[in-house]
Amino acid sequence: MIRAFFYLRGTTLQNQLLSRVRRLRQPKYLFGAIAGAAYFWFIFFRQTGFKGPPGRGLPPMAEGSDLFPLVFIFGAFVTYALYRVIAAWAAPAAPGLPFTEAEAAFLFPAPLSRRTLIHYKLLSSQLPILFQAALLTLISTRWTFLGGNAGIHALGWWVIFSTLNLHTTGAALTVTRLIAQGVGKLQRQVVVFGLLLLLAAAVAVILWRTAPPLTANDTAHPAALFRYLAGLTRAGPLYWLLLPGRVVVAPFLAQGWREFFLVLGPALLVLAAHYVWVLRSETPFEEGSIAQAEKRGAAVAALKAGTYRLGGGKARPGPFQLASHGGRPEIAFLWKNLLSTQSFFTLRTFAASAGVIVVVCTWLSHGSDAQRSTLSILGVCGVMMAGYALVLGPQLARQDFRGDLGHMDLFKTYPLPGWQVVLGELLAPVAILTGIVWLALLTATLSLGAFRAPVVWLTVEFRTTAALCLAVVLPLLCTLQLMVPNAATLLFPSWTQATRTRDRGLDVMGQRLIFAAGQFFVIALAVLPAAVAGVLLWFAARLLGGEVGSAVMATLGIVLVLGLEIAVGLLCLGWRFEKFDLSSESVK
Amino acid sequence: MIEVTGLTKRYGAFTAVQDLSFTVRPGEVLGLVGPNGAGKTSTLRCLAGIIPPNAGTVRIGGLDLASDPVAAKRQLAFLPDEPKLFDYLTVRQHLAFVARIYGVANHEPLAQTLLEELEIADKADQLPGELSRGMKQKLVIACGLLHGPSVIFFDEPLTGLDPLGIRRMKDSIRQRALGGAAIVLSSHLLHLLEEVCSHVLILKKGEKIAGGTLAEVSARFAQGESHVSLEEIFIRATGGTEG
């Protein structure tokens, strides 16, 4: 079996590399590869010349300004690890082990014992684990405040991910066995979430009673914060409560090789105990594995076909009642495309969210200094959220031509002019992104009430006007942002095809980067005339009236220019849609 | 030889297969028919050792599939209706991989013969992404037959094949049976079953409605008529309703 395994993995890797090298003959992959390689080099290997000595890559993350990204990275990793563990234990159906459809088809009827299949799976998971460890080592070598070196970090990551993988494997087998014994989903989830809540409550109580206060010195730089956090977990009941996790993480945190080898023993013991647990949990997992493999296979096929639904492909009522007679056809596209996404993207959800934001922000703005600080943090989050939604949103909300590429021929049979189809297809992602940026804008606007010392020009009147003006402009910006990838779909469908698959590689990453850069460039060009018109009208109105009137005039100018651009864009894209012939494009 | 006794498969509260018993001797071809949801695929998956049954025994060549799965599986091949292949293994590499798993020594000449027989020898160095559905199906068949199984399970074997491929497949099934293989074939194509099967087993809601040679089953449902087609027998046996 071992030979067959290495044959499969080795040949797969070799053919994968060969096919990726071969596809570089196509310019779209070649340029993608160049862009991807440049990005990778820039992120991990560039010699900055600005910080630290040249030739040593990126500078260490040791400044106070590095604190936020570090906390974000650590938070993301802890969330990821917790999610994997919880998902494994609270799985709704028998999880089995994650085999692909091909593996299930070839290996399950083959003369292999169940234990051999488990070993196959454990061996298979080593390749992604080694890749993850290598990638994270590139990142964590900048965390010099932890001590250690690249070798220690790489091995430490390997221990962490291998233990996590064995734990989730053992959990999957145990859950499969429990389900076979008649233990229901609700019983398991109550136990899992109950234990989790208990653990969280215990940690919170211990911290509240024993933790020293977090001072400004503790948050001055990453090393100080790390010392503070490490101190918390080294004393009192937390030491024992978090012991298993500490043992597994200890090799990664070792300061030098001597310490590494000292703490490696206990970590390997935990790893070995997990391995024994996995082998002893051997249970018929094939049904669960096949069900999961089929589910994943269907999702991948749907993704490739552009028919993947975030909602999980279940039938559900429409987001709103579509009038049975009359009504604009664009609204039918909006209705259809909203049905293809998550069920919570409804007017009711957005209205309820807005209500919650208003209540929370109002309560915080009338509270203590601590509450006002929280409100200002919320405001910063709101601004960041709006930025992310505007910049990254169009890549995520794809309920438009990008998802409907396979339905183009059908759309062309509709008795509608091209621009109307284009507009209809754009409406759903525009509505979703507008809802999100409006909520973010509402949060940011209300958070301005946190300023105790009033800024002279930041009056309530001005804040409200500015927010309303932005609220008018933002949907147009969302529309422009979404028109770019949709235009790309109509003009270069084969490129778009490549960027919406789950295909991986440096060249595909590069293609996405090129797309993002292209989008940024086009939007900058489109926004420039509107910005110029807005500024000119602002100054002209300032000569006649106050701040509020100027803001309104500027907004009118911006809306006029952006609206004109969108109208021209719709007509052009509509014309392109009418001429569109998917069969003549090299979509493979 | 396939011996099935009291085979039962449940998914939670739903019983897919209920107390199924039958035997397929070497040289026999058993056609497994039934409406959608009758339990055909569940039966085949249990017989191939892919999923464990809740009750009953399956013996492959005299070996109990539950107590000695590895030895029993060495004798069988399962050919699914939907070809699931490894994206980055060529046709020839798929066969090499299967040869390793089943321990087929010196497999190259065998593989070449199969590829030529199935007319995909010219595609030997291509990846699945470059093959048509029919070609993929042929590759799955070649992989299944490489180790010379004495027991073969076909789940809708003609799906995706062109007319010539269908003819070849039918000939191949007959030849394997003549060579002493015990074959179970699940299909909705009743004319195929009429042409290649020696026996038939009709399932409905997981239970056996009728079983035996084609002549025996025909006699039972012919109601005195002569030359009644398998299609007519199927409709009479199942009452013309869903599984």
Side-chain angles (χ1 to χ4, degrees):
Chain A
M1 180 60 204
I2 293 287
R3 287 182 62 205
F5 168 80
F6 282 111
Y7 177 81
L8 175 66
R9 290 290 161 225
T11 315
T12 299
L13 198 65
Q14 186 190 349
N15 289 346
Q16 214 166 4
L17 284 173
L18 270 175
S19 82
R20 283 188 182 170
V21 169
R22 277 195 206 111
R23 74 185 184 188
L24 292 182
R25 282 181 292 207
Q26 297 178 56
K28 65 178 181 183
Y29 287 110
L30 181 63
F31 289 126
I34 293 168
Y39 174 78
F40 202 71
W41 173 83
F42 183 79
I43 291 295
F44 293 113
F45 300 113
R46 79 188 153 109
Q47 296 172 5
T48 59
F50 297 110
K51 287 180 181 178
R56 300 183 76 181
L58 289 170
M61 294 179 84
E63 306 294 326
S65 56
D66 294 325
L67 215 55
F68 182 74
L70 272 171
V71 169
F72 180 78
I73 295 170
F74 274 95
F77 178 74
V78 172
T79 309
Y80 165 76
L82 270 176
Y83 168 77
R84 279 195 60 184
V85 171
I86 295 169
W89 283 106
L97 294 182
F99 284 87
T100 65
E101 283 187 294
E103 285 171 337
F106 279 86
L107 301 180
F108 287 4
L112 304 170
S113 67
R114 198 165 281 138
R115 183 163 287 199
T116 308
L117 289 176
I118 293 174
H119 277 116
Y120 170 88
K121 205 56 241 166
L122 292 179
L123 267 175
S124 297
S125 57
Q126 276 303 312
L127 200 63
I129 285 174
L130 289 173
F131 181 75
Q132 279 173 325
L135 195 68
L136 283 168
T137 302
L138 283 175
I139 296 169
S140 65
T141 43
R142 295 182 65 200
W143 304 345
T144 46
F145 60 90
L146 291 179
N149 55 47
I152 287 175
H153 282 192
L155 291 169
W157 281 123
W158 179 83
V159 171
I160 292 170
F161 281 115
S162 295
T163 311
L164 189 63
N165 180 57
L166 276 169
H167 185 86
T168 51
T169 306
L173 290 171
T174 307
V175 168
T176 304
R177 175 180 284 179
L178 288 173
I179 289 174
Q181 289 168 355
V183 178
K185 183 176 91 173
L186 192 66
Q187 286 166 285
R188 279 183 300 110
Q189 291 187 344
V190 164
V191 171
V192 170
F193 289 113
L195 282 175
L196 205 69
L197 272 176
L198 209 64
L199 183 69
V203 171
V205 168
I206 293 166
L207 285 178
W208 182 59
R209 297 185 68 169
T210 62
L214 187 69
T215 62
N217 283 341
D218 295 326
T219 56
H221 50 86
L225 184 65
F226 176 69
R227 263 199 308 275
Y228 174 83
L229 292 174
L232 290 182
T233 60
R234 278 193 193 125
L238 270 190
Y239 176 87
W240 297 105
L241 206 58
L242 304 178
L243 188 62
R246 281 169 48 84
V247 168
V248 173
V249 177
F252 173 73
L253 296 176
Q255 300 292 306
W257 285 110
R258 190 172 173 277
E259 187 187 339
F260 175 80
F261 285 114
L262 277 176
V263 295
L264 185 64
L268 289 181
L269 267 180
V270 173
L271 196 75
H274 272 90
Y275 174 71
V276 173
W277 171 43
V278 167
L279 291 191
R280 290 177 68 90
S281 306
E282 188 186 316
T283 191
F285 57 78
E286 294 86 349
E287 270 176 54
S289 295
I290 290 171
Q292 295 300 325
E294 285 173 351
K295 211 170 157 183
R296 270 196 306 277
V300 170
L303 209 65
K304 282 181 180 169
T307 54
Y308 181 73
R309 279 181 53 170
L310 280 171
K314 288 180 185 161
R316 61 182 167 89
F320 54 85
Q321 188 68 37
L322 198 60
S324 52
H325 295 292
R328 294 198 61 85
E330 296 94 325
I331 301 301
F333 281 97
L334 168 69
W335 181 81
K336 172 191 87 69
N337 288 339
L338 282 178
L339 265 173
S340 70
T341 186
Q342 295 283 13
S343 57
F344 53 74
F345 285 126
T346 61
L347 204 57
R348 191 184 300 172
T349 316
F350 281 117
S353 307
V356 171
I357 289 169
V358 169
V359 170
V360 171
C361 290
T362 310
W363 174 68
L364 288 174
S365 65
H366 290 92
S368 61
D369 283 347
Q371 281 174 306
R372 282 167 177 272
S373 301
T374 311
L375 183 59
S376 38
I377 292 171
L378 271 182
V380 173
C381 290
V383 172
M384 281 172 66
M385 184 71 198
Y388 278 129
L390 265 178
V391 176
L392 298 177
Q395 303 308 322
L396 303 173
R398 304 168 78 97
Q399 297 78 18
D400 45 31
F401 275 130
R402 289 168 291 174
D404 269 331
L405 203 57
H407 302 137
M408 292 292 226
D409 286 350
L410 179 69
F411 289 172
K412 289 192 77 174
T413 65
Y414 293 164
L416 298 171
W419 69 266
Q420 230 172 347
V421 178
V422 176
L423 177 61
E425 280 289 275
L426 283 174
L427 283 179
V430 167
I432 292 170
L433 289 188
T434 299
I436 293 170
V437 291
W438 273 355
L439 290 178
L441 177 66
L442 182 68
T443 312
T445 308
L446 293 175
S447 73
L448 291 175
F451 287 97
R452 193 173 284 281
V455 181
V456 177
W457 55 270
L458 203 59
T459 60
V460 174
E461 191 186 25
F462 179 78
R463 279 180 348 221
T464 312
T465 312
L468 288 173
C469 291
L470 272 175
V472 173
V473 172
L474 283 173
L476 298 174
L477 279 179
C478 288
T479 311
L480 266 181
Q481 278 279 62
L482 283 156
M483 280 179 84
V484 178
N486 278 280
T489 304
L490 290 170
L491 294 168
F492 316 107
S494 54
W495 270 76
T496 312
Q497 181 82 356
T499 58
R500 74 197 172 99
T501 60
R502 286 180 77 192
D503 207 356
R504 281 176 277 187
L506 212 58
D507 43 5
V508 176
M509 185 177 79
Q511 283 181 354
R512 290 179 180 138
L513 286 171
I514 291 173
F515 249 104
Q519 170 136 3
F520 180 77
F521 179 70
V522 172
I523 290 296
L525 272 184
V527 168
L528 191 65
V532 170
V535 170
L536 287 178
L537 280 168
W538 168 278
F539 282 113
R542 279 289 298 272
L543 298 174
L544 302 171
E547 304 286 351
V548 172
S550 311
V552 172
M553 284 304 290
T555 305
L556 279 176
I558 292 170
V559 166
L560 200 69
V561 175
L562 289 183
L564 196 67
E565 284 177 356
I566 289 171
V568 172
L570 282 177
L571 286 174
C572 291
L573 289 181
W575 176 82
R576 170 62 191 162
F577 169 77
E578 285 161 11
K579 306 280 174 213
F580 188 79
D581 179 6
L582 190 61
S583 61
S584 68
E585 303 287 347
S586 57
V587 180
K588 282 180 183 170
Chain B
M1 174 101 145
I2 308 163
E3 297 161 278
V4 181
T5 316
L7 180 76
T8 300
K9 181 64 195 172
R10 284 186 289 271
Y11 298 104
F14 173 71
T15 302
V17 182
Q18 177 72 47
D19 198 23
L20 195 62
S21 301
F22 63 86
T23 302
V24 186
R25 292 176 187 81
E28 289 180 359
V29 181
L30 173 75
L32 200 59
V33 289
N36 292 328
K40 302 187 294 294
T41 300
S42 289
T43 303
L44 280 184
R45 282 180 165 182
C46 287
L47 297 185
I50 298 171
I51 55 174
N54 295 93
T57 56
V58 177
R59 296 180 77 80
I60 303 290
L63 296 162
D64 187 343
L65 194 56
S67 59
D68 196 358
V70 174
K73 284 178 176 181
R74 219 176 277 287
Q75 302 186 47
L76 67 84
F78 175 69
L79 308 177
D81 59 336
E82 191 66 35
K84 305 288 184 197
L85 299 164
F86 295 104
D87 290 343
Y88 286 101
L89 253 56
T90 63
V91 169
R92 205 187 296 281
Q93 288 163 343
H94 268 90
L95 289 159
F97 174 64
V98 170
R100 293 247 179 144
I101 286 188
Y102 284 84
V104 182
N106 193 22
H107 75 278
E108 285 91 352
L110 279 170
Q112 190 58 33
T113 309
L114 275 169
L115 293 178
E116 280 165 12
E117 190 185 318
L118 292 161
E119 296 177 319
I120 47 169
D122 58 328
K123 311 282 181 194
D125 294 319
Q126 292 189 0
L127 293 172
E130 300 165 279
L131 303 177
S132 68
R133 196 196 180 286
M135 297 286 181
K136 288 180 190 170
Q137 187 69 16
K138 287 179 179 179
L139 172 56
V140 168
I141 293 165
C143 289
L145 300 180
L146 185 67
H147 64 288
S150 57
V151 168
I152 310 172
F153 301 110
F154 287 97
D155 192 2
E156 293 289 355
L158 304 188
T159 312
L161 297 182
D162 57 22
L164 194 62
I166 291 173
R167 165 79 68 85
R168 294 262 156 82
M169 176 49 73
K170 286 193 278 198
D171 290 344
S172 177
I173 293 171
R174 286 194 202 100
Q175 277 172 18
R176 307 273 159 197
L178 283 173
I183 297 173
V184 177
L185 195 160
S186 160
S187 179
H188 284 302
L189 302 174
L190 299 178
H191 62 84
L192 162 76
L193 301 180
E194 263 181 319
E195 284 179 56
V196 299
C197 293
S198 58
H199 292 67
V200 69
L201 180 68
I202 303 177
L203 289 178
K204 188 181 178 186
K205 291 181 178 169
E207 291 187 44
K208 179 177 167 181
I209 300 287
T213 64
L214 276 170
E216 286 166 354
V217 175
S218 293
R220 185 173 158 194
F221 292 96
Q223 296 164 355
E225 298 171 41
S226 59
H227 304 299
V228 181
S229 69
L230 186 57
E231 184 181 75
E232 189 55 39
I233 291 168
F234 174 78
I235 290 168
R236 288 180 190 177
T238 59
T241 56
E242 291 274 303

